[in-house]
Amino acid sequence: MPSVPEQLDKLIVVKIGSSTLVDAEGGVDREFVTSLARQFAQLLGEGYHIVFVSSGAVAAGRERLGFTRRPTDMPSLQACAATGQVALMEVYAHELAALGVPCGQVLLTRRDFVDRECYLNARNTLFRLLDLGAIPVVNENDTISVAEFAFGDNDMLGAIVSALVGAELYVILSDVEGLYDANPQEVPTAKLVRHVDHIDSRVAAMAGGAGTSMGTGGMSSKVRAARAMLACGIPTVICEGRADEVIVDVAHGRQIGTRFEAPAGSSRESGRKLWIGLAEVPRGTLVVDDGAKRAIAREGASVLPVGVVSTTGSYAEGDVVNVVDLNGVVLARGVARFSSDDMTRIRGLKSEVIARFMPEKAGQPAVHRDEMLVF
Protein backbone atom coordinates (compact mmCIF):
# COMPACT_ATOMS: atom_id res chain seq x y z
CA MET A 1 0.00 0.00 0.00
CA PRO A 2 1.52 3.36 -1.02
CA SER A 3 2.34 5.75 1.79
CA VAL A 4 0.54 9.07 2.09
CA PRO A 5 2.77 12.09 2.85
CA GLU A 6 2.26 13.78 6.19
CA GLN A 7 2.98 17.24 4.78
CA LEU A 8 3.73 18.85 1.43
CA ASP A 9 5.75 22.02 0.87
CA LYS A 10 4.50 24.93 -1.25
CA LEU A 11 0.88 23.87 -0.82
CA ILE A 12 -1.72 26.47 -1.78
CA VAL A 13 -5.50 26.30 -1.49
CA VAL A 14 -7.31 28.43 -4.07
CA LYS A 15 -11.03 29.14 -3.72
CA ILE A 16 -13.17 30.70 -6.44
CA GLY A 17 -16.67 32.10 -6.08
CA SER A 18 -19.56 31.75 -8.49
CA SER A 19 -19.62 35.43 -9.40
CA THR A 20 -16.00 35.24 -10.54
CA LEU A 21 -16.40 31.98 -12.42
CA VAL A 22 -19.44 32.71 -14.59
CA ASP A 23 -19.83 34.98 -17.62
CA ALA A 24 -22.40 37.70 -18.29
CA GLU A 25 -25.00 35.12 -19.35
CA GLY A 26 -24.57 33.11 -16.15
CA GLY A 27 -22.66 30.20 -17.67
CA VAL A 28 -19.16 28.94 -16.91
CA ASP A 29 -16.62 31.25 -18.56
CA ARG A 30 -14.47 28.81 -20.55
CA GLU A 31 -11.89 31.42 -21.51
CA PHE A 32 -11.40 32.32 -17.85
CA VAL A 33 -11.09 28.66 -16.86
CA THR A 34 -8.40 28.30 -19.51
CA SER A 35 -6.48 31.10 -17.80
CA LEU A 36 -6.88 29.40 -14.40
CA ALA A 37 -5.64 26.09 -15.80
CA ARG A 38 -2.61 27.77 -17.35
CA GLN A 39 -1.67 29.41 -14.05
CA PHE A 40 -2.13 26.14 -12.17
CA ALA A 41 0.07 24.30 -14.65
CA GLN A 42 2.79 26.94 -14.32
CA LEU A 43 2.81 26.68 -10.54
CA LEU A 44 2.85 22.89 -10.61
CA GLY A 45 5.88 23.12 -12.86
CA GLU A 46 7.53 25.31 -10.21
CA GLY A 47 6.99 22.69 -7.50
CA TYR A 48 3.79 24.02 -5.96
CA HIS A 49 0.87 21.83 -4.92
CA ILE A 50 -2.64 23.19 -5.42
CA VAL A 51 -6.04 22.33 -3.99
CA PHE A 52 -8.83 24.08 -5.88
CA VAL A 53 -12.08 24.81 -4.00
CA SER A 54 -14.71 25.70 -6.57
CA SER A 55 -18.15 27.20 -6.19
CA GLY A 56 -20.37 27.57 -9.25
CA ALA A 57 -22.18 24.24 -9.43
CA VAL A 58 -25.64 25.78 -9.08
CA ALA A 59 -24.83 28.50 -11.61
CA ALA A 60 -23.52 25.94 -14.10
CA GLY A 61 -26.46 23.60 -13.53
CA ARG A 62 -28.95 26.41 -13.78
CA GLU A 63 -27.71 27.19 -17.26
CA ARG A 64 -27.73 23.55 -18.34
CA LEU A 65 -31.25 22.90 -16.99
CA GLY A 66 -32.68 26.04 -18.56
CA PHE A 67 -33.48 28.12 -15.47
CA THR A 68 -33.45 31.85 -16.23
CA ARG A 69 -32.72 32.73 -12.60
CA ARG A 70 -31.46 30.99 -9.48
CA PRO A 71 -34.28 28.80 -8.12
CA THR A 72 -35.32 29.13 -4.49
CA ASP A 73 -36.75 25.70 -3.64
CA MET A 74 -34.35 23.09 -2.30
CA PRO A 75 -35.09 20.25 -4.78
CA SER A 76 -34.42 22.56 -7.75
CA LEU A 77 -31.27 23.95 -6.15
CA GLN A 78 -29.98 20.47 -5.54
CA ALA A 79 -30.89 19.39 -9.07
CA CYS A 80 -28.88 22.36 -10.36
CA ALA A 81 -25.99 21.40 -8.11
CA ALA A 82 -26.01 17.79 -9.31
CA THR A 83 -26.06 18.83 -12.97
CA GLY A 84 -23.62 21.66 -12.42
CA GLN A 85 -21.00 19.47 -10.74
CA VAL A 86 -20.80 17.44 -13.95
CA ALA A 87 -20.62 20.57 -16.09
CA LEU A 88 -17.86 22.10 -13.97
CA MET A 89 -15.73 18.98 -13.91
CA GLU A 90 -16.09 18.58 -17.68
CA VAL A 91 -14.64 22.05 -18.16
CA TYR A 92 -11.90 21.72 -15.52
CA ALA A 93 -10.82 18.26 -16.65
CA HIS A 94 -10.70 19.29 -20.31
CA GLU A 95 -8.71 22.49 -19.75
CA LEU A 96 -6.24 20.91 -17.32
CA ALA A 97 -5.77 17.76 -19.43
CA ALA A 98 -4.83 19.95 -22.39
CA LEU A 99 -1.85 21.06 -20.26
CA GLY A 100 -1.01 17.56 -19.06
CA VAL A 101 -2.46 18.08 -15.58
CA PRO A 102 -4.85 15.48 -14.08
CA CYS A 103 -7.56 16.48 -11.62
CA GLY A 104 -9.92 14.67 -9.28
CA GLN A 105 -13.25 15.66 -7.78
CA VAL A 106 -13.64 15.62 -3.99
CA LEU A 107 -17.16 16.33 -2.71
CA LEU A 108 -17.43 16.99 1.02
CA THR A 109 -20.02 17.90 3.60
CA ARG A 110 -19.44 19.29 7.06
CA ARG A 111 -20.37 15.86 8.42
CA ASP A 112 -17.25 14.49 6.73
CA PHE A 113 -15.20 16.78 8.95
CA VAL A 114 -17.16 16.17 12.14
CA ASP A 115 -16.53 12.42 11.92
CA ARG A 116 -12.87 12.02 12.82
CA GLU A 117 -12.36 8.95 10.60
CA CYS A 118 -13.92 10.66 7.59
CA TYR A 119 -11.82 13.74 8.33
CA LEU A 120 -8.61 11.73 8.18
CA ASN A 121 -9.77 9.82 5.10
CA ALA A 122 -10.46 13.09 3.31
CA ARG A 123 -7.01 14.31 4.25
CA ASN A 124 -5.38 11.14 2.97
CA THR A 125 -7.27 11.35 -0.32
CA LEU A 126 -6.24 14.95 -0.88
CA PHE A 127 -2.60 14.25 -0.08
CA ARG A 128 -2.51 11.19 -2.33
CA LEU A 129 -3.94 13.19 -5.25
CA LEU A 130 -1.41 15.95 -4.64
CA ASP A 131 1.45 13.47 -4.34
CA LEU A 132 0.43 12.02 -7.72
CA GLY A 133 0.65 15.45 -9.34
CA ALA A 134 -3.11 15.94 -9.61
CA ILE A 135 -5.21 18.95 -8.60
CA PRO A 136 -8.07 18.06 -6.22
CA VAL A 137 -11.20 20.03 -7.13
CA VAL A 138 -13.19 20.38 -3.90
CA ASN A 139 -16.79 21.42 -3.44
CA GLU A 140 -19.56 20.84 -0.93
CA ASN A 141 -21.75 17.87 -1.76
CA ASP A 142 -24.76 20.14 -2.12
CA THR A 143 -27.00 17.45 -3.59
CA ILE A 144 -27.34 15.65 -0.24
CA SER A 145 -26.33 18.31 2.30
CA VAL A 146 -29.41 20.35 3.16
CA ALA A 147 -28.16 22.21 6.25
CA GLU A 148 -24.74 22.92 4.79
CA PHE A 149 -26.26 23.96 1.48
CA ALA A 150 -28.53 26.49 3.18
CA PHE A 151 -25.45 27.89 4.95
CA GLY A 152 -24.24 28.91 1.50
CA ASP A 153 -20.76 29.95 0.57
CA ASN A 154 -17.55 27.95 0.21
CA ASP A 155 -15.21 30.46 1.86
CA MET A 156 -15.23 28.57 5.14
CA LEU A 157 -14.98 25.24 3.34
CA GLY A 158 -11.77 26.52 1.77
CA ALA A 159 -10.54 27.54 5.21
CA ILE A 160 -11.34 24.12 6.65
CA VAL A 161 -9.55 22.41 3.77
CA SER A 162 -6.55 24.74 4.25
CA ALA A 163 -6.32 23.69 7.89
CA LEU A 164 -6.88 20.05 6.95
CA VAL A 165 -3.89 19.94 4.58
CA GLY A 166 -1.69 22.43 6.46
CA ALA A 167 -1.58 24.88 3.56
CA GLU A 168 1.07 27.57 3.38
CA LEU A 169 -1.39 29.99 1.80
CA TYR A 170 -5.14 30.33 1.26
CA VAL A 171 -6.16 32.43 -1.76
CA ILE A 172 -9.76 33.60 -2.20
CA LEU A 173 -10.51 34.74 -5.76
CA SER A 174 -13.23 37.35 -5.60
CA ASP A 175 -15.01 39.75 -7.95
CA VAL A 176 -13.43 42.70 -6.12
CA GLU A 177 -9.82 43.67 -5.51
CA GLY A 178 -9.91 42.95 -1.79
CA LEU A 179 -11.16 44.47 1.46
CA TYR A 180 -11.83 48.20 1.38
CA ASP A 181 -12.13 50.52 4.37
CA ALA A 182 -15.60 51.47 3.11
CA ASN A 183 -17.98 50.28 0.39
CA PRO A 184 -16.32 51.52 -2.85
CA GLN A 185 -19.71 51.52 -4.59
CA GLU A 186 -20.98 54.08 -2.10
CA VAL A 187 -17.77 55.87 -1.07
CA PRO A 188 -15.62 56.89 -4.09
CA THR A 189 -12.64 57.63 -1.83
CA ALA A 190 -12.65 54.15 -0.25
CA LYS A 191 -9.16 52.67 0.00
CA LEU A 192 -7.99 49.09 -0.39
CA VAL A 193 -6.73 47.60 2.88
CA ARG A 194 -3.44 45.91 2.03
CA HIS A 195 -2.68 44.07 5.27
CA VAL A 196 -4.69 42.83 8.27
CA ASP A 197 -3.07 41.11 11.25
CA HIS A 198 -6.16 40.83 13.46
CA ILE A 199 -9.89 41.14 12.97
CA ASP A 200 -11.93 43.26 15.32
CA SER A 201 -15.36 44.89 15.04
CA ARG A 202 -13.91 47.70 12.92
CA VAL A 203 -12.52 45.30 10.32
CA ALA A 204 -15.70 43.23 10.40
CA ALA A 205 -17.74 46.38 9.74
CA MET A 206 -15.65 47.09 6.62
CA ALA A 207 -16.73 43.74 5.19
CA GLY A 208 -20.41 44.61 4.99
CA GLY A 209 -22.71 41.75 4.09
CA ALA A 210 -24.44 40.77 0.89
CA GLY A 211 -23.23 38.45 -1.81
CA THR A 212 -24.23 38.51 -5.47
CA SER A 213 -27.12 36.99 -7.40
CA MET A 214 -24.82 34.21 -8.63
CA GLY A 215 -23.34 33.28 -5.27
CA THR A 216 -24.27 33.34 -1.62
CA GLY A 217 -21.13 34.71 -0.03
CA GLY A 218 -19.92 38.26 0.31
CA MET A 219 -16.91 40.01 1.77
CA SER A 220 -18.16 39.27 5.28
CA SER A 221 -17.96 35.51 4.68
CA LYS A 222 -14.44 35.92 3.29
CA VAL A 223 -13.34 37.89 6.33
CA ARG A 224 -14.82 35.24 8.64
CA ALA A 225 -12.78 32.62 6.79
CA ALA A 226 -9.67 34.80 7.03
CA ARG A 227 -10.28 35.18 10.76
CA ALA A 228 -10.25 31.41 11.16
CA MET A 229 -7.01 31.24 9.16
CA LEU A 230 -5.38 33.81 11.45
CA ALA A 231 -6.02 31.42 14.33
CA CYS A 232 -4.44 28.63 12.28
CA GLY A 233 -1.39 30.66 11.34
CA ILE A 234 -2.19 30.34 7.62
CA PRO A 235 -1.94 33.58 5.58
CA THR A 236 -5.01 34.42 3.49
CA VAL A 237 -5.17 36.67 0.44
CA ILE A 238 -8.46 38.04 -0.92
CA CYS A 239 -7.95 39.34 -4.44
CA GLU A 240 -9.62 39.98 -7.78
CA GLY A 241 -9.81 36.60 -9.48
CA ARG A 242 -9.89 37.93 -13.03
CA ALA A 243 -6.74 40.02 -12.77
CA ASP A 244 -4.00 38.82 -15.12
CA GLU A 245 -1.85 36.05 -13.65
CA VAL A 246 -3.21 36.81 -10.19
CA ILE A 247 -2.67 33.32 -8.72
CA VAL A 248 0.92 33.20 -9.92
CA ASP A 249 1.56 36.69 -8.58
CA VAL A 250 0.13 35.87 -5.15
CA ALA A 251 2.09 32.61 -4.97
CA HIS A 252 5.28 34.50 -5.82
CA GLY A 253 4.67 36.90 -2.92
CA ARG A 254 3.70 40.00 -4.86
CA GLN A 255 1.48 42.52 -3.08
CA ILE A 256 -1.95 41.67 -4.43
CA GLY A 257 -5.33 42.37 -2.85
CA THR A 258 -5.68 42.15 0.93
CA ARG A 259 -3.37 39.84 2.89
CA PHE A 260 -4.46 38.55 6.29
CA GLU A 261 -1.50 37.32 8.29
CA ALA A 262 -0.87 36.96 12.00
CA PRO A 263 2.10 38.87 13.49
CA ALA A 264 5.50 37.18 13.33
CA GLY A 265 6.00 34.66 16.10
CA SER A 266 2.31 33.77 16.43
CA SER A 267 1.85 30.07 17.05
CA ARG A 268 -0.29 27.73 14.98
CA GLU A 269 -3.02 26.02 17.00
CA SER A 270 -3.06 22.26 17.48
CA GLY A 271 -4.83 19.98 15.04
CA ARG A 272 -7.48 19.08 17.60
CA LYS A 273 -8.32 22.72 18.29
CA LEU A 274 -8.57 23.40 14.56
CA TRP A 275 -10.86 20.42 14.16
CA ILE A 276 -13.08 21.65 17.00
CA GLY A 277 -13.12 25.25 15.85
CA LEU A 278 -13.48 24.83 12.10
CA ALA A 279 -14.91 21.41 11.32
CA GLU A 280 -17.34 20.70 14.15
CA VAL A 281 -20.91 22.04 13.93
CA PRO A 282 -21.76 24.20 16.98
CA ARG A 283 -24.88 23.05 18.80
CA GLY A 284 -25.34 26.06 21.05
CA THR A 285 -23.98 29.39 22.24
CA LEU A 286 -22.54 30.73 25.48
CA VAL A 287 -22.75 34.50 25.98
CA VAL A 288 -19.99 35.75 28.29
CA ASP A 289 -19.49 39.01 30.16
CA ASP A 290 -16.70 41.51 29.50
CA GLY A 291 -14.45 40.07 32.20
CA ALA A 292 -14.62 36.60 30.69
CA LYS A 293 -14.09 38.08 27.24
CA ARG A 294 -10.85 39.73 28.34
CA ALA A 295 -9.62 36.55 30.04
CA ILE A 296 -10.33 34.44 26.94
CA ALA A 297 -8.94 36.85 24.36
CA ARG A 298 -5.90 38.19 26.21
CA GLU A 299 -4.92 35.43 28.63
CA GLY A 300 -6.06 32.27 26.83
CA ALA A 301 -8.22 31.37 29.83
CA SER A 302 -10.95 28.75 30.00
CA VAL A 303 -14.61 29.81 30.05
CA LEU A 304 -15.85 29.62 33.64
CA PRO A 305 -19.55 29.29 34.51
CA VAL A 306 -19.38 32.52 36.54
CA GLY A 307 -18.64 34.48 33.37
CA VAL A 308 -21.53 33.02 31.37
CA VAL A 309 -24.43 35.46 31.11
CA SER A 310 -26.79 33.28 29.09
CA THR A 311 -26.93 30.22 26.87
CA THR A 312 -28.98 29.29 23.82
CA GLY A 313 -29.47 26.06 21.90
CA SER A 314 -29.86 22.47 22.99
CA TYR A 315 -26.57 20.64 23.49
CA ALA A 316 -25.11 17.79 25.49
CA GLU A 317 -21.88 17.61 27.42
CA GLY A 318 -19.17 17.07 24.80
CA ASP A 319 -20.92 19.01 22.04
CA VAL A 320 -19.24 22.01 20.45
CA VAL A 321 -20.59 25.50 21.25
CA ASN A 322 -19.83 29.04 20.19
CA VAL A 323 -18.59 31.51 22.79
CA VAL A 324 -19.75 35.07 22.04
CA ASP A 325 -19.47 38.43 23.75
CA LEU A 326 -22.35 40.68 24.77
CA ASN A 327 -22.49 42.12 21.25
CA GLY A 328 -22.81 38.70 19.66
CA VAL A 329 -19.26 38.63 18.26
CA VAL A 330 -17.88 35.08 18.18
CA LEU A 331 -14.81 34.90 20.43
CA ALA A 332 -14.14 31.18 20.34
CA ARG A 333 -15.54 27.72 19.73
CA GLY A 334 -15.03 24.79 22.04
CA VAL A 335 -16.29 21.63 23.71
CA ALA A 336 -18.97 22.16 26.37
CA ARG A 337 -18.29 20.53 29.74
CA PHE A 338 -21.96 20.95 30.75
CA SER A 339 -25.23 20.26 28.95
CA SER A 340 -27.46 23.18 28.00
CA ASP A 341 -29.86 22.27 30.83
CA ASP A 342 -27.07 22.28 33.40
CA MET A 343 -25.55 25.47 32.00
CA THR A 344 -28.90 27.24 32.34
CA ARG A 345 -28.89 26.31 36.04
CA ILE A 346 -25.28 27.23 36.85
CA ARG A 347 -24.57 30.23 34.62
CA GLY A 348 -23.21 33.16 36.61
CA LEU A 349 -22.41 31.03 39.66
CA LYS A 350 -19.02 30.64 41.31
CA SER A 351 -17.35 27.24 41.49
CA GLU A 352 -17.89 26.84 45.25
CA VAL A 353 -21.62 27.39 44.83
CA ILE A 354 -21.86 24.89 41.97
CA ALA A 355 -19.96 22.33 44.09
CA ARG A 356 -22.74 22.34 46.71
CA PHE A 357 -25.35 20.78 44.40
CA MET A 358 -23.10 19.33 41.65
CA PRO A 359 -20.06 18.02 43.57
CA GLU A 360 -19.00 15.81 40.66
CA LYS A 361 -18.51 19.00 38.61
CA ALA A 362 -16.55 20.93 41.24
CA GLY A 363 -14.01 23.22 39.61
CA GLN A 364 -15.10 22.28 36.10
CA PRO A 365 -14.95 25.08 33.50
CA ALA A 366 -17.79 25.59 31.06
CA VAL A 367 -15.28 25.20 28.21
CA HIS A 368 -11.65 24.23 28.84
CA ARG A 369 -8.99 26.23 27.02
CA ASP A 370 -7.34 23.03 25.75
CA GLU A 371 -10.55 22.23 23.87
CA MET A 372 -11.27 25.70 22.53
CA LEU A 373 -10.15 27.58 19.43
CA VAL A 374 -9.98 31.31 20.15
CA PHE A 375 -10.65 33.48 17.11
Side-chain angles (χ1 to χ4, degrees):
M1 182 176 179
S3 62
V4 177
E6 291 293 322
Q7 187 68 44
L8 290 170
D9 295 331
K10 301 176 74 172
L11 202 169
I12 300 174
V13 174
V14 178
K15 182 265 176 182
I16 189 168
S18 301
S19 59
T20 308
L21 183 63
V22 301
D23 57 25
E25 286 71 45
V28 178
D29 190 332
R30 294 291 294 258
E31 185 177 348
F32 175 60
V33 174
T34 301
S35 170
L36 288 178
R38 188 174 60 249
Q39 292 181 70
F40 288 162
Q42 177 181 334
L43 291 173
L44 288 177
E46 296 175 3
Y48 288 87
H49 299 90
I50 296 169
V51 178
F52 184 38
V53 178
S54 174
S55 298
V58 172
R62 190 187 86 178
E63 176 194 34
R64 186 160 286 193
L65 293 176
F67 286 95
T68 57
R69 62 180 61 185
R70 183 185 176 94
T72 56
D73 65 288
M74 188 58 66
S76 295
L77 282 168
Q78 293 182 316
C80 287
T83 308
Q85 290 292 355
V86 176
L88 280 178
M89 287 308 299
E90 286 176 356
V91 175
Y92 291 148
H94 179 270
E95 296 298 332
L96 287 167
L99 298 167
V101 178
C103 66
Q105 185 178 42
V106 182
L107 295 177
L108 299 169
T109 70
R110 196 173 275 270
R111 292 187 188 93
D112 296 321
F113 291 98
V114 171
D115 183 286
R116 183 65 175 173
E117 185 176 356
C118 289
Y119 177 90
L120 294 174
N121 285 340
R123 184 178 186 276
N124 288 339
T125 299
L126 291 169
F127 271 124
R128 186 61 180 144
L129 283 167
L130 292 166
D131 193 42
L132 291 168
I135 292 181
V137 181
V138 180
N139 198 355
E140 279 189 296
N141 195 348
D142 295 331
T143 58
I144 64 170
S145 182
V146 175
E148 290 80 4
F149 192 57
F151 177 73
D153 65 87
N154 273 348
D155 296 314
M156 188 55 77
L157 174 62
I160 292 172
V161 170
S162 296
L164 176 70
V165 299
E168 293 184 5
L169 180 67
Y170 178 32
V171 182
I172 301 177
L173 302 181
S174 180
D175 53 3
V176 294
E177 193 176 353
L179 176 67
Y180 285 83
D181 60 4
N183 188 335
Q185 296 178 342
E186 300 174 359
V187 182
T189 57
K191 295 180 180 179
L192 180 67
V193 179
R194 288 292 186 183
H195 187 267
V196 177
D197 62 8
H198 73 286
I199 295 174
D200 52 20
S201 58
R202 181 182 63 87
V203 174
M206 294 177 189
T212 68
S213 61
M214 289 296 175
T216 52
M219 187 55 67
S220 59
S221 73
K222 293 168 178 53
V223 170
R224 283 196 298 271
R227 185 185 192 192
M229 292 292 89
L230 285 172
C232 300
I234 299 175
T236 299
V237 174
I238 301 174
C239 55
E240 186 177 357
R242 288 180 171 265
D244 290 341
E245 304 299 315
V246 63
I247 304 172
V248 173
D249 285 345
V250 172
H252 290 171
R254 297 189 178 95
Q255 189 178 65
I256 305 289
T258 303
R259 185 180 180 95
F260 296 77
E261 186 169 14
S266 298
S267 60
R268 179 176 291 199
E269 295 286 10
S270 68
R272 173 162 169 75
K273 284 191 177 185
L274 296 178
W275 183 49
I276 291 168
L278 301 183
E280 284 277 20
V281 179
R283 304 296 180 184
T285 300
L286 304 181
V287 181
V288 299
D289 60 27
D290 289 339
K293 173 183 177 179
R294 285 191 296 271
I296 295 165
R298 298 179 186 178
E299 301 167 20
S302 299
V303 180
L304 302 180
V306 69
V308 177
V309 175
S310 63
T311 179
T312 59
S314 178
Y315 52 90
E317 179 183 348
D319 283 344
V320 170
V321 295
N322 281 330
V323 180
V324 307
D325 66 14
L326 295 173
N327 296 316
V329 176
V330 178
L331 303 172
R333 186 171 291 161
V335 177
R337 293 288 185 93
F338 295 87
S339 69
S340 51
D341 289 341
D342 285 342
M343 183 53 60
T344 299
R345 295 166 56 205
I346 67 169
R347 62 181 177 84
L349 299 181
K350 294 182 178 180
S351 296
E352 55 266 30
V353 177
I354 297 172
R356 295 173 190 169
F357 59 95
M358 295 181 70
E360 74 282 4
K361 293 286 190 178
Q364 190 81 271
V367 180
H368 196 281
R369 63 184 182 183
D370 291 343
E371 298 177 322
M372 178 173 65
L373 180 66
V374 177
F375 296 121

